[in-house]
Amino acid sequence: MIDEPFAQADEPWLGLVRQARQWFDGPLGSQLLAAETPVLEEALSRCFGSYLLHYAPFADASLSLKKIKRVVRLGPPLPGVEIACEESAWPIGEHAVDAVVLQHGLDFSLDPHAVLREAARAVRPGGHLLIVGLNPWSLWGVRRAFSKEVLGEAQCLSASRVGDWFSLLGFALEHRRFGCYCPPLSSSQWQSRLGRLERLGQRVQMPTGGFYLLSARKLTVGLRPLRQQRQQRVGKLIPLPVAKVSRRDTQ
């Protein structure tokens, strides 16, 4: 299927997302998404509310959620997107949604910091921001360094760097997970043979998985009204008469 835009968008960004969509439809991208889905759904089970924004560079984003009523796809003007936007200008009000998921939205971006800033602005106080990204300290990160596909153009930000951005934007990191410990192999037979490696990696949670998931909550600052001091009326001081003592009386 050829993705034709239904509105104007920044052409370099649109071209990057088109290539990313083709890669995620392929065997490696499908392997990565299959490993991410259960981890992401488990993290979203702790989120609740009415609206969740999902921002990702791939067409299929079916998530099974129980505590979120509505999932809205946000992204470039391509099929499967419900709200079209530029990556640095989202048509979403401030504090408008209960949760935002950036699933490789930072990886395949021209300005990841602008994307993260827009996502943080859209989350309500007390809401959640979840980020799924390629882990540079993994076999997938090694493949990305030598890849001639669109994977080689991915930003591949580290989990620690994204965590630092969280604190600057007023979020507190609550949860971190890694996954997809199987190497990036196109063969489905080898993927099934290495299934034990994936189960072991999930249990040990070494920071060498192909992807990381960070879940952060937007902090709320409680404002305590200042107590107004009661102004009591103070009566005037009235001088009392003082008897004058004469030295003659003391003799």
mmCIF file with all atom_site columns, all heavy atoms in Angstrom, residues 16 19-20 22-23 28 108 140-154:
data_model
loop_
_atom_site.group_PDB
_atom_site.id
_atom_site.type_symbol
_atom_site.label_atom_id
_atom_site.label_alt_id
_atom_site.label_comp_id
_atom_site.label_asym_id
_atom_site.label_entity_id
_atom_site.label_seq_id
_atom_site.pdbx_PDB_ins_code
_atom_site.Cartn_x
_atom_site.Cartn_y
_atom_site.Cartn_z
_atom_site.occupancy
_atom_site.B_iso_or_equiv
_atom_site.pdbx_formal_charge
_atom_site.auth_seq_id
_atom_site.auth_comp_id
_atom_site.auth_asym_id
_atom_site.auth_atom_id
_atom_site.pdbx_PDB_model_num
ATOM 1   N N   . LEU A 1 16  ? 10.701 10.645 5.794  1.00 0.00 ? 16  LEU A N   1
ATOM 2   C CA  . LEU A 1 16  ? 11.272 9.790  6.832  1.00 0.00 ? 16  LEU A CA  1
ATOM 3   C C   . LEU A 1 16  ? 10.227 8.849  7.407  1.00 0.00 ? 16  LEU A C   1
ATOM 4   O O   . LEU A 1 16  ? 10.485 7.651  7.616  1.00 0.00 ? 16  LEU A O   1
ATOM 5   C CB  . LEU A 1 16  ? 11.870 10.664 7.944  1.00 0.00 ? 16  LEU A CB  1
ATOM 6   C CG  . LEU A 1 16  ? 12.473 9.935  9.146  1.00 0.00 ? 16  LEU A CG  1
ATOM 7   C CD1 . LEU A 1 16  ? 13.685 9.110  8.724  1.00 0.00 ? 16  LEU A CD1 1
ATOM 8   C CD2 . LEU A 1 16  ? 12.862 10.935 10.244 1.00 0.00 ? 16  LEU A CD2 1
ATOM 9   N N   . GLN A 1 19  ? 9.375  5.951  4.971  1.00 0.00 ? 19  GLN A N   1
ATOM 10  C CA  . GLN A 1 19  ? 10.373 4.888  4.995  1.00 0.00 ? 19  GLN A CA  1
ATOM 11  C C   . GLN A 1 19  ? 10.281 4.067  6.280  1.00 0.00 ? 19  GLN A C   1
ATOM 12  O O   . GLN A 1 19  ? 10.445 2.844  6.263  1.00 0.00 ? 19  GLN A O   1
ATOM 13  C CB  . GLN A 1 19  ? 11.766 5.491  4.872  1.00 0.00 ? 19  GLN A CB  1
ATOM 14  C CG  . GLN A 1 19  ? 12.036 6.192  3.555  1.00 0.00 ? 19  GLN A CG  1
ATOM 15  C CD  . GLN A 1 19  ? 13.432 6.771  3.511  1.00 0.00 ? 19  GLN A CD  1
ATOM 16  O OE1 . GLN A 1 19  ? 14.428 6.069  3.673  1.00 0.00 ? 19  GLN A OE1 1
ATOM 17  N NE2 . GLN A 1 19  ? 13.517 8.084  3.310  1.00 0.00 ? 19  GLN A NE2 1
ATOM 18  N N   . ALA A 1 20  ? 10.010 4.737  7.398  1.00 0.00 ? 20  ALA A N   1
ATOM 19  C CA  . ALA A 1 20  ? 9.875  4.021  8.662  1.00 0.00 ? 20  ALA A CA  1
ATOM 20  C C   . ALA A 1 20  ? 8.675  3.082  8.626  1.00 0.00 ? 20  ALA A C   1
ATOM 21  O O   . ALA A 1 20  ? 8.741  1.959  9.160  1.00 0.00 ? 20  ALA A O   1
ATOM 22  C CB  . ALA A 1 20  ? 9.750  5.015  9.815  1.00 0.00 ? 20  ALA A CB  1
ATOM 23  N N   . GLN A 1 22  ? 7.461  1.520  6.039  1.00 0.00 ? 22  GLN A N   1
ATOM 24  C CA  . GLN A 1 22  ? 7.833  0.350  5.254  1.00 0.00 ? 22  GLN A CA  1
ATOM 25  C C   . GLN A 1 22  ? 8.728  -0.587 6.053  1.00 0.00 ? 22  GLN A C   1
ATOM 26  O O   . GLN A 1 22  ? 8.591  -1.810 5.975  1.00 0.00 ? 22  GLN A O   1
ATOM 27  C CB  . GLN A 1 22  ? 8.535  0.795  3.971  1.00 0.00 ? 22  GLN A CB  1
ATOM 28  C CG  . GLN A 1 22  ? 7.644  1.545  3.012  1.00 0.00 ? 22  GLN A CG  1
ATOM 29  C CD  . GLN A 1 22  ? 8.394  2.011  1.769  1.00 0.00 ? 22  GLN A CD  1
ATOM 30  O OE1 . GLN A 1 22  ? 9.574  1.737  1.616  1.00 0.00 ? 22  GLN A OE1 1
ATOM 31  N NE2 . GLN A 1 22  ? 7.691  2.715  0.886  1.00 0.00 ? 22  GLN A NE2 1
ATOM 32  N N   . TRP A 1 23  ? 9.632  -0.018 6.856  1.00 0.00 ? 23  TRP A N   1
ATOM 33  C CA  . TRP A 1 23  ? 10.532 -0.855 7.656  1.00 0.00 ? 23  TRP A CA  1
ATOM 34  C C   . TRP A 1 23  ? 9.761  -1.608 8.743  1.00 0.00 ? 23  TRP A C   1
ATOM 35  O O   . TRP A 1 23  ? 10.008 -2.783 8.996  1.00 0.00 ? 23  TRP A O   1
ATOM 36  C CB  . TRP A 1 23  ? 11.626 0.005  8.283  1.00 0.00 ? 23  TRP A CB  1
ATOM 37  C CG  . TRP A 1 23  ? 12.654 -0.796 9.016  1.00 0.00 ? 23  TRP A CG  1
ATOM 38  C CD1 . TRP A 1 23  ? 13.721 -1.445 8.480  1.00 0.00 ? 23  TRP A CD1 1
ATOM 39  C CD2 . TRP A 1 23  ? 12.684 -1.041 10.425 1.00 0.00 ? 23  TRP A CD2 1
ATOM 40  N NE1 . TRP A 1 23  ? 14.443 -2.084 9.478  1.00 0.00 ? 23  TRP A NE1 1
ATOM 41  C CE2 . TRP A 1 23  ? 13.818 -1.858 10.679 1.00 0.00 ? 23  TRP A CE2 1
ATOM 42  C CE3 . TRP A 1 23  ? 11.879 -0.666 11.501 1.00 0.00 ? 23  TRP A CE3 1
ATOM 43  C CZ2 . TRP A 1 23  ? 14.156 -2.296 11.948 1.00 0.00 ? 23  TRP A CZ2 1
ATOM 44  C CZ3 . TRP A 1 23  ? 12.219 -1.101 12.768 1.00 0.00 ? 23  TRP A CZ3 1
ATOM 45  C CH2 . TRP A 1 23  ? 13.344 -1.903 12.983 1.00 0.00 ? 23  TRP A CH2 1
ATOM 46  N N   . LEU A 1 28  ? 11.925 -7.303 10.388 1.00 0.00 ? 28  LEU A N   1
ATOM 47  C CA  . LEU A 1 28  ? 12.590 -6.778 11.573 1.00 0.00 ? 28  LEU A CA  1
ATOM 48  C C   . LEU A 1 28  ? 11.684 -5.849 12.362 1.00 0.00 ? 28  LEU A C   1
ATOM 49  O O   . LEU A 1 28  ? 11.608 -5.921 13.592 1.00 0.00 ? 28  LEU A O   1
ATOM 50  C CB  . LEU A 1 28  ? 13.880 -6.054 11.173 1.00 0.00 ? 28  LEU A CB  1
ATOM 51  C CG  . LEU A 1 28  ? 15.015 -6.922 10.642 1.00 0.00 ? 28  LEU A CG  1
ATOM 52  C CD1 . LEU A 1 28  ? 16.233 -6.073 10.321 1.00 0.00 ? 28  LEU A CD1 1
ATOM 53  C CD2 . LEU A 1 28  ? 15.383 -8.009 11.648 1.00 0.00 ? 28  LEU A CD2 1
ATOM 54  N N   . PHE A 1 108 ? 12.277 8.308  14.969 1.00 0.00 ? 108 PHE A N   1
ATOM 55  C CA  . PHE A 1 108 ? 12.118 8.724  13.583 1.00 0.00 ? 108 PHE A CA  1
ATOM 56  C C   . PHE A 1 108 ? 11.535 10.132 13.556 1.00 0.00 ? 108 PHE A C   1
ATOM 57  O O   . PHE A 1 108 ? 10.381 10.345 13.185 1.00 0.00 ? 108 PHE A O   1
ATOM 58  C CB  . PHE A 1 108 ? 11.253 7.727  12.822 1.00 0.00 ? 108 PHE A CB  1
ATOM 59  C CG  . PHE A 1 108 ? 11.884 6.370  12.742 1.00 0.00 ? 108 PHE A CG  1
ATOM 60  C CD1 . PHE A 1 108 ? 11.560 5.385  13.670 1.00 0.00 ? 108 PHE A CD1 1
ATOM 61  C CD2 . PHE A 1 108 ? 12.829 6.080  11.773 1.00 0.00 ? 108 PHE A CD2 1
ATOM 62  C CE1 . PHE A 1 108 ? 12.159 4.128  13.610 1.00 0.00 ? 108 PHE A CE1 1
ATOM 63  C CE2 . PHE A 1 108 ? 13.435 4.831  11.710 1.00 0.00 ? 108 PHE A CE2 1
ATOM 64  C CZ  . PHE A 1 108 ? 13.098 3.854  12.631 1.00 0.00 ? 108 PHE A CZ  1
ATOM 65  N N   . TRP A 1 140 ? 20.441 -4.346 18.482 1.00 0.00 ? 140 TRP A N   1
ATOM 66  C CA  . TRP A 1 140 ? 19.669 -3.545 17.548 1.00 0.00 ? 140 TRP A CA  1
ATOM 67  C C   . TRP A 1 140 ? 20.359 -2.201 17.307 1.00 0.00 ? 140 TRP A C   1
ATOM 68  O O   . TRP A 1 140 ? 20.339 -1.669 16.202 1.00 0.00 ? 140 TRP A O   1
ATOM 69  C CB  . TRP A 1 140 ? 18.252 -3.340 18.077 1.00 0.00 ? 140 TRP A CB  1
ATOM 70  C CG  . TRP A 1 140 ? 17.426 -4.576 18.030 1.00 0.00 ? 140 TRP A CG  1
ATOM 71  C CD1 . TRP A 1 140 ? 17.464 -5.620 18.916 1.00 0.00 ? 140 TRP A CD1 1
ATOM 72  C CD2 . TRP A 1 140 ? 16.451 -4.928 17.048 1.00 0.00 ? 140 TRP A CD2 1
ATOM 73  N NE1 . TRP A 1 140 ? 16.572 -6.591 18.561 1.00 0.00 ? 140 TRP A NE1 1
ATOM 74  C CE2 . TRP A 1 140 ? 15.926 -6.194 17.408 1.00 0.00 ? 140 TRP A CE2 1
ATOM 75  C CE3 . TRP A 1 140 ? 15.954 -4.298 15.915 1.00 0.00 ? 140 TRP A CE3 1
ATOM 76  C CZ2 . TRP A 1 140 ? 14.946 -6.830 16.672 1.00 0.00 ? 140 TRP A CZ2 1
ATOM 77  C CZ3 . TRP A 1 140 ? 14.973 -4.924 15.169 1.00 0.00 ? 140 TRP A CZ3 1
ATOM 78  C CH2 . TRP A 1 140 ? 14.479 -6.173 15.542 1.00 0.00 ? 140 TRP A CH2 1
ATOM 79  N N   . GLY A 1 141 ? 20.941 -1.642 18.359 1.00 0.00 ? 141 GLY A N   1
ATOM 80  C CA  . GLY A 1 141 ? 21.694 -0.409 18.192 1.00 0.00 ? 141 GLY A CA  1
ATOM 81  C C   . GLY A 1 141 ? 22.928 -0.603 17.330 1.00 0.00 ? 141 GLY A C   1
ATOM 82  O O   . GLY A 1 141 ? 23.299 0.280  16.550 1.00 0.00 ? 141 GLY A O   1
ATOM 83  N N   . VAL A 1 142 ? 23.564 -1.765 17.457 1.00 0.00 ? 142 VAL A N   1
ATOM 84  C CA  . VAL A 1 142 ? 24.725 -2.072 16.620 1.00 0.00 ? 142 VAL A CA  1
ATOM 85  C C   . VAL A 1 142 ? 24.298 -2.195 15.158 1.00 0.00 ? 142 VAL A C   1
ATOM 86  O O   . VAL A 1 142 ? 24.976 -1.679 14.255 1.00 0.00 ? 142 VAL A O   1
ATOM 87  C CB  . VAL A 1 142 ? 25.410 -3.364 17.106 1.00 0.00 ? 142 VAL A CB  1
ATOM 88  C CG1 . VAL A 1 142 ? 26.521 -3.779 16.144 1.00 0.00 ? 142 VAL A CG1 1
ATOM 89  C CG2 . VAL A 1 142 ? 25.972 -3.177 18.509 1.00 0.00 ? 142 VAL A CG2 1
ATOM 90  N N   . ARG A 1 143 ? 23.185 -2.878 14.923 1.00 0.00 ? 143 ARG A N   1
ATOM 91  C CA  . ARG A 1 143 ? 22.698 -3.010 13.545 1.00 0.00 ? 143 ARG A CA  1
ATOM 92  C C   . ARG A 1 143 ? 22.350 -1.651 12.962 1.00 0.00 ? 143 ARG A C   1
ATOM 93  O O   . ARG A 1 143 ? 22.617 -1.380 11.777 1.00 0.00 ? 143 ARG A O   1
ATOM 94  C CB  . ARG A 1 143 ? 21.480 -3.936 13.504 1.00 0.00 ? 143 ARG A CB  1
ATOM 95  C CG  . ARG A 1 143 ? 21.004 -4.202 12.072 1.00 0.00 ? 143 ARG A CG  1
ATOM 96  C CD  . ARG A 1 143 ? 19.770 -5.058 12.018 1.00 0.00 ? 143 ARG A CD  1
ATOM 97  N NE  . ARG A 1 143 ? 19.362 -5.287 10.638 1.00 0.00 ? 143 ARG A NE  1
ATOM 98  C CZ  . ARG A 1 143 ? 19.633 -6.371 9.929  1.00 0.00 ? 143 ARG A CZ  1
ATOM 99  N NH1 . ARG A 1 143 ? 20.314 -7.372 10.478 1.00 0.00 ? 143 ARG A NH1 1
ATOM 100 N NH2 . ARG A 1 143 ? 19.227 -6.470 8.678  1.00 0.00 ? 143 ARG A NH2 1
ATOM 101 N N   . ARG A 1 144 ? 21.764 -0.804 13.769 1.00 0.00 ? 144 ARG A N   1
ATOM 102 C CA  . ARG A 1 144 ? 21.411 0.535  13.293 1.00 0.00 ? 144 ARG A CA  1
ATOM 103 C C   . ARG A 1 144 ? 22.655 1.316  12.870 1.00 0.00 ? 144 ARG A C   1
ATOM 104 O O   . ARG A 1 144 ? 22.631 2.077  11.897 1.00 0.00 ? 144 ARG A O   1
ATOM 105 C CB  . ARG A 1 144 ? 20.658 1.260  14.397 1.00 0.00 ? 144 ARG A CB  1
ATOM 106 C CG  . ARG A 1 144 ? 20.425 2.745  14.135 1.00 0.00 ? 144 ARG A CG  1
ATOM 107 C CD  . ARG A 1 144 ? 21.161 3.571  15.163 1.00 0.00 ? 144 ARG A CD  1
ATOM 108 N NE  . ARG A 1 144 ? 21.080 4.986  14.905 1.00 0.00 ? 144 ARG A NE  1
ATOM 109 C CZ  . ARG A 1 144 ? 21.971 5.840  15.338 1.00 0.00 ? 144 ARG A CZ  1
ATOM 110 N NH1 . ARG A 1 144 ? 23.005 5.438  16.048 1.00 0.00 ? 144 ARG A NH1 1
ATOM 111 N NH2 . ARG A 1 144 ? 21.855 7.131  15.068 1.00 0.00 ? 144 ARG A NH2 1
ATOM 112 N N   . ALA A 1 145 ? 23.782 1.136  13.599 1.00 0.00 ? 145 ALA A N   1
ATOM 113 C CA  . ALA A 1 145 ? 25.001 1.860  13.260 1.00 0.00 ? 145 ALA A CA  1
ATOM 114 C C   . ALA A 1 145 ? 25.547 1.493  11.883 1.00 0.00 ? 145 ALA A C   1
ATOM 115 O O   . ALA A 1 145 ? 26.222 2.306  11.244 1.00 0.00 ? 145 ALA A O   1
ATOM 116 C CB  . ALA A 1 145 ? 26.058 1.609  14.331 1.00 0.00 ? 145 ALA A CB  1
ATOM 117 N N   . PHE A 1 146 ? 25.261 0.270  11.417 1.00 0.00 ? 146 PHE A N   1
ATOM 118 C CA  . PHE A 1 146 ? 25.788 -0.188 10.130 1.00 0.00 ? 146 PHE A CA  1
ATOM 119 C C   . PHE A 1 146 ? 24.704 -0.345 9.069  1.00 0.00 ? 146 PHE A C   1
ATOM 120 O O   . PHE A 1 146 ? 24.996 -0.784 7.959  1.00 0.00 ? 146 PHE A O   1
ATOM 121 C CB  . PHE A 1 146 ? 26.511 -1.533 10.312 1.00 0.00 ? 146 PHE A CB  1
ATOM 122 C CG  . PHE A 1 146 ? 27.711 -1.446 11.209 1.00 0.00 ? 146 PHE A CG  1
ATOM 123 C CD1 . PHE A 1 146 ? 27.617 -1.811 12.549 1.00 0.00 ? 146 PHE A CD1 1
ATOM 124 C CD2 . PHE A 1 146 ? 28.927 -0.996 10.730 1.00 0.00 ? 146 PHE A CD2 1
ATOM 125 C CE1 . PHE A 1 146 ? 28.718 -1.731 13.383 1.00 0.00 ? 146 PHE A CE1 1
ATOM 126 C CE2 . PHE A 1 146 ? 30.038 -0.914 11.552 1.00 0.00 ? 146 PHE A CE2 1
ATOM 127 C CZ  . PHE A 1 146 ? 29.933 -1.280 12.888 1.00 0.00 ? 146 PHE A CZ  1
ATOM 128 N N   . SER A 1 147 ? 23.475 0.005  9.405  1.00 0.00 ? 147 SER A N   1
ATOM 129 C CA  . SER A 1 147 ? 22.371 -0.217 8.479  1.00 0.00 ? 147 SER A CA  1
ATOM 130 C C   . SER A 1 147 ? 22.326 0.860  7.398  1.00 0.00 ? 147 SER A C   1
ATOM 131 O O   . SER A 1 147 ? 22.580 2.046  7.665  1.00 0.00 ? 147 SER A O   1
ATOM 132 C CB  . SER A 1 147 ? 21.038 -0.226 9.242  1.00 0.00 ? 147 SER A CB  1
ATOM 133 O OG  . SER A 1 147 ? 19.956 -0.361 8.362  1.00 0.00 ? 147 SER A OG  1
ATOM 134 N N   . LYS A 1 148 ? 22.000 0.441  6.180  1.00 0.00 ? 148 LYS A N   1
ATOM 135 C CA  . LYS A 1 148 ? 21.798 1.364  5.072  1.00 0.00 ? 148 LYS A CA  1
ATOM 136 C C   . LYS A 1 148 ? 20.316 1.632  4.845  1.00 0.00 ? 148 LYS A C   1
ATOM 137 O O   . LYS A 1 148 ? 19.953 2.389  3.949  1.00 0.00 ? 148 LYS A O   1
ATOM 138 C CB  . LYS A 1 148 ? 22.428 0.801  3.800  1.00 0.00 ? 148 LYS A CB  1
ATOM 139 C CG  . LYS A 1 148 ? 23.949 0.663  3.883  1.00 0.00 ? 148 LYS A CG  1
ATOM 140 C CD  . LYS A 1 148 ? 24.523 0.142  2.588  1.00 0.00 ? 148 LYS A CD  1
ATOM 141 C CE  . LYS A 1 148 ? 26.041 -0.001 2.676  1.00 0.00 ? 148 LYS A CE  1
ATOM 142 N NZ  . LYS A 1 148 ? 26.624 -0.520 1.399  1.00 0.00 ? 148 LYS A NZ  1
ATOM 143 N N   . GLU A 1 149 ? 19.459 1.007  5.666  1.00 0.00 ? 149 GLU A N   1
ATOM 144 C CA  . GLU A 1 149 ? 18.020 1.236  5.588  1.00 0.00 ? 149 GLU A CA  1
ATOM 145 C C   . GLU A 1 149 ? 17.669 2.460  6.435  1.00 0.00 ? 149 GLU A C   1
ATOM 146 O O   . GLU A 1 149 ? 18.541 3.157  6.960  1.00 0.00 ? 149 GLU A O   1
ATOM 147 C CB  . GLU A 1 149 ? 17.271 -0.002 6.071  1.00 0.00 ? 149 GLU A CB  1
ATOM 148 C CG  . GLU A 1 149 ? 17.551 -1.251 5.256  1.00 0.00 ? 149 GLU A CG  1
ATOM 149 C CD  . GLU A 1 149 ? 16.860 -2.447 5.837  1.00 0.00 ? 149 GLU A CD  1
ATOM 150 O OE1 . GLU A 1 149 ? 16.897 -2.631 7.066  1.00 0.00 ? 149 GLU A OE1 1
ATOM 151 O OE2 . GLU A 1 149 ? 16.286 -3.215 5.047  1.00 0.00 ? 149 GLU A OE2 1
ATOM 152 N N   . VAL A 1 150 ? 16.363 2.699  6.560  1.00 0.00 ? 150 VAL A N   1
ATOM 153 C CA  . VAL A 1 150 ? 15.924 3.840  7.357  1.00 0.00 ? 150 VAL A CA  1
ATOM 154 C C   . VAL A 1 150 ? 16.293 3.671  8.824  1.00 0.00 ? 150 VAL A C   1
ATOM 155 O O   . VAL A 1 150 ? 16.384 4.656  9.572  1.00 0.00 ? 150 VAL A O   1
ATOM 156 C CB  . VAL A 1 150 ? 14.394 4.019  7.196  1.00 0.00 ? 150 VAL A CB  1
ATOM 157 C CG1 . VAL A 1 150 ? 13.631 2.887  7.876  1.00 0.00 ? 150 VAL A CG1 1
ATOM 158 C CG2 . VAL A 1 150 ? 13.938 5.360  7.747  1.00 0.00 ? 150 VAL A CG2 1
ATOM 159 N N   . LEU A 1 151 ? 16.546 2.427  9.251  1.00 0.00 ? 151 LEU A N   1
ATOM 160 C CA  . LEU A 1 151 ? 16.983 2.205  10.626 1.00 0.00 ? 151 LEU A CA  1
ATOM 161 C C   . LEU A 1 151 ? 18.263 2.977  10.928 1.00 0.00 ? 151 LEU A C   1
ATOM 162 O O   . LEU A 1 151 ? 18.480 3.429  12.054 1.00 0.00 ? 151 LEU A O   1
ATOM 163 C CB  . LEU A 1 151 ? 17.204 0.708  10.869 1.00 0.00 ? 151 LEU A CB  1
ATOM 164 C CG  . LEU A 1 151 ? 17.614 0.292  12.284 1.00 0.00 ? 151 LEU A CG  1
ATOM 165 C CD1 . LEU A 1 151 ? 16.525 0.643  13.286 1.00 0.00 ? 151 LEU A CD1 1
ATOM 166 C CD2 . LEU A 1 151 ? 17.927 -1.194 12.338 1.00 0.00 ? 151 LEU A CD2 1
ATOM 167 N N   . GLY A 1 152 ? 19.122 3.139  9.919  1.00 0.00 ? 152 GLY A N   1
ATOM 168 C CA  . GLY A 1 152 ? 20.355 3.894  10.118 1.00 0.00 ? 152 GLY A CA  1
ATOM 169 C C   . GLY A 1 152 ? 20.133 5.377  10.337 1.00 0.00 ? 152 GLY A C   1
ATOM 170 O O   . GLY A 1 152 ? 21.041 6.077  10.803 1.00 0.00 ? 152 GLY A O   1
ATOM 171 N N   . GLU A 1 153 ? 18.947 5.885  10.011 1.00 0.00 ? 153 GLU A N   1
ATOM 172 C CA  . GLU A 1 153 ? 18.632 7.289  10.215 1.00 0.00 ? 153 GLU A CA  1
ATOM 173 C C   . GLU A 1 153 ? 17.927 7.554  11.542 1.00 0.00 ? 153 GLU A C   1
ATOM 174 O O   . GLU A 1 153 ? 17.608 8.707  11.849 1.00 0.00 ? 153 GLU A O   1
ATOM 175 C CB  . GLU A 1 153 ? 17.759 7.796  9.064  1.00 0.00 ? 153 GLU A CB  1
ATOM 176 C CG  . GLU A 1 153 ? 18.406 7.653  7.690  1.00 0.00 ? 153 GLU A CG  1
ATOM 177 C CD  . GLU A 1 153 ? 17.520 8.188  6.582  1.00 0.00 ? 153 GLU A CD  1
ATOM 178 O OE1 . GLU A 1 153 ? 16.717 9.099  6.874  1.00 0.00 ? 153 GLU A OE1 1
ATOM 179 O OE2 . GLU A 1 153 ? 17.621 7.696  5.446  1.00 0.00 ? 153 GLU A OE2 1
ATOM 180 N N   . ALA A 1 154 ? 17.659 6.504  12.311 1.00 0.00 ? 154 ALA A N   1
ATOM 181 C CA  . ALA A 1 154 ? 16.953 6.677  13.587 1.00 0.00 ? 154 ALA A CA  1
ATOM 182 C C   . ALA A 1 154 ? 17.819 7.448  14.576 1.00 0.00 ? 154 ALA A C   1
ATOM 183 O O   . ALA A 1 154 ? 19.047 7.305  14.597 1.00 0.00 ? 154 ALA A O   1
ATOM 184 C CB  . ALA A 1 154 ? 16.566 5.321  14.160 1.00 0.00 ? 154 ALA A CB  1
#
